[in-house]
Each structure stands twice: as structure tokens, then as C-alpha cells.
Amino acid sequence: TLREAARRRILLAALLGALAFLLLYAIGFHFVAREAVKSNPMSVIQQRLVLNFFTLAGLYATNFLVVLSAVLLPLDTLSGDIASGVMQTLAARPVRRAEILLGKWFAYWLVCAAYLVVVAGGVLAIAWLRGGFTPPNAVAGLSLMLLEATCFVSLSIAGGARLTTVTNGVVAFALYGIAFIGGWIEQVASFANNHAARNVGTVASLLVPTESMWTLAANLMQPPIMAQLHLTPFSP
């Protein structure tokens, strides 16, 4: 599966996309950090809060890119092979179907994990090199982001066992949309103290808990004052 991904230039496209994103982020972070240092009235605490916010913004974009990759990369790994007849040939050999399935799952999980390490590691490296800043609990936060990607890799491959490629993609993105909207409804309703709307968001988060994983990751990777005072959109 990894050789097939390399042959189809999936890995190359992912790497080039990651480098382009990190280049753009580095340029933006450079000017943000420079402005934060030039603002004399801004205290050290305020500077750290600004850098933390921009770092979380980069990780938020990273989280979206990783989830997108986790959905798209394995989308046709089963349905495409079933439609082309390749899967029937493989399944007729003395290889367990579970081994075929888990082999494909593990290969794409490795790709998504490597993509997360490259992009998120690049964001953290830029924040440290240019701003001298590292968010707290970065390992725990990145682990939750990896868990989120793991869920979508699993959903995408599971859907491919029963659905066509297009239908599988629609279902996977619909589930992501439910999680995304539900998470924001829950967060905004909590801020507005609207219990009914918050319960709606909570139900959506229980059905598809991936957005809650990112919310917890963002909560861990920021100072408590940012979360308690709701200073940024990433403060749950």
C-alpha cells in the first residue's frame, strides 16, 4: 500500500503541500512576532498570548489538513480495488481478509502520522525559532490530533468496504461536518450560557467526537488564563 501511494505520487504531493503551507506560515509568523516585539507597551505576558494564539492557529490549520488527508487518502483503497477486481484476486489467495484490511489501515495511518509530525513539527519549530515560544503540553495535544486522524482513517476504510468511493467520501465529510458544527455550537452555546443549544452540540460530539479531541488539544496547548477568559476562538 505504501509503494502504491508512492507510485501514484500521493506522498510527493502531500510533502510539497506541507512545505508550501509551512513556508506561508513561517512568513506570517515572522511578521507577527516582529510586531509583537516592536510594540513596547505590550508586556511579556501579552506577547506570549499573541504567539500562543498564532501557534494554535497554525496547529488548527494543521489539524484540518491532517483530517482531510485521513479522509481522502484511503477513500478508494477498498472500494477502488473491489470495483477493479483487484480485491477479489487478493482475497482468493491464502491471505486473511483481516490482514489485507489491517495492512491497508496501518499503511495510511503511518502516512497520516508522518504528515502530522512533519507539518505540526514544522509549526512548532517555526514558533520556537522565530518567537522563542513552545505551547504547553504539546505532546499531549499532538497525540489527540493523531487520535482524531486515526478515527477518520478508520471511518474512511470502513466505509470503503460497503460503499462506493463517491458515496464513502460524502459520508465521511458529512460526519466531519457534524463534528465540526456540533463542536462550535457547543462552544458558542456554553459561552452564551444557552443550555438547550449546548446539549445539541454535546449530542453531535458524542456521535462524532473528533472535534472534541481538537478542542481538548487546544485547551491543553494554551495557558489556563486564555481558556478561562475566552481570549481566543480556540478557548473552549
Side-chain angles (χ1 to χ4, degrees), residues 6-101:
R7 185 187 67 81
R8 294 165 60 185
R9 299 183 180 178
I10 294 175
L11 301 182
L12 178 61
L15 180 60
L16 293 177
L19 293 177
F21 167 74
L22 290 175
L23 177 61
L24 179 62
Y25 179 77
I27 295 172
F29 194 93
H30 166 74
F31 290 111
V32 169
R34 188 179 68 174
E35 190 65 28
V37 173
K38 285 172 58 178
S39 301
N40 294 326
M42 186 178 291
S43 66
V44 175
I45 295 178
Q46 289 175 320
Q47 291 178 10
R48 300 305 251 182
L49 293 179
V50 170
L51 294 177
N52 190 284
F53 166 72
F54 205 72
T55 303
L56 284 178
L59 292 175
Y60 181 76
T62 299
N63 184 68
F64 175 75
L65 292 173
V66 172
V67 167
L68 201 64
S69 301
V71 172
L72 291 177
L73 290 179
L75 197 60
D76 68 338
T77 187
L78 288 181
S79 58
D81 286 352
I82 291 173
S84 64
V86 173
M87 185 58 65
Q88 290 83 338
T89 303
L90 287 174
R93 295 180 179 181
V95 180
R96 294 182 179 180
R97 295 184 180 185
E99 293 174 344
I100 299 173
L101 184 66

Side-chain angles (χ1 to χ4, degrees), residues 75 79 163-171:
L75 197 60
S79 58
L163 306 173
T164 63
T165 300
V166 175
T167 305
N168 188 25
V170 171
V171 171

Side-chain angles (χ1 to χ4, degrees), residues 134-142 217 219-222:
T134 301
N137 304 308
V139 174
L142 296 184
N219 182 61
L220 292 173
M221 292 189 291
Q222 60 185 302

Side-chain angles (χ1 to χ4, degrees), residues 112-195:
C112 290
Y115 188 71
L116 174 64
V117 170
V118 170
V119 182
V123 169
L124 295 178
I126 291 168
W128 181 71
L129 292 172
R130 183 60 187 87
F133 173 79
T134 301
N137 304 308
V139 174
L142 296 184
S143 298
L144 284 163
M145 293 168 64
L146 179 58
L147 181 60
E148 184 179 0
T150 302
C151 288
F152 277 108
V153 169
S154 303
L155 286 172
S156 187
I157 289 183
R162 296 290 181 181
L163 306 173
T164 63
T165 300
V166 175
T167 305
N168 188 25
V170 171
V171 171
F173 278 112
L175 291 174
Y176 175 75
I178 290 173
F180 181 80
I181 296 300
W184 278 102
I185 290 175
E186 184 177 0
Q187 184 167 333
V188 173
S190 298
F191 182 75
N193 202 26
N194 188 321
H195 296 290

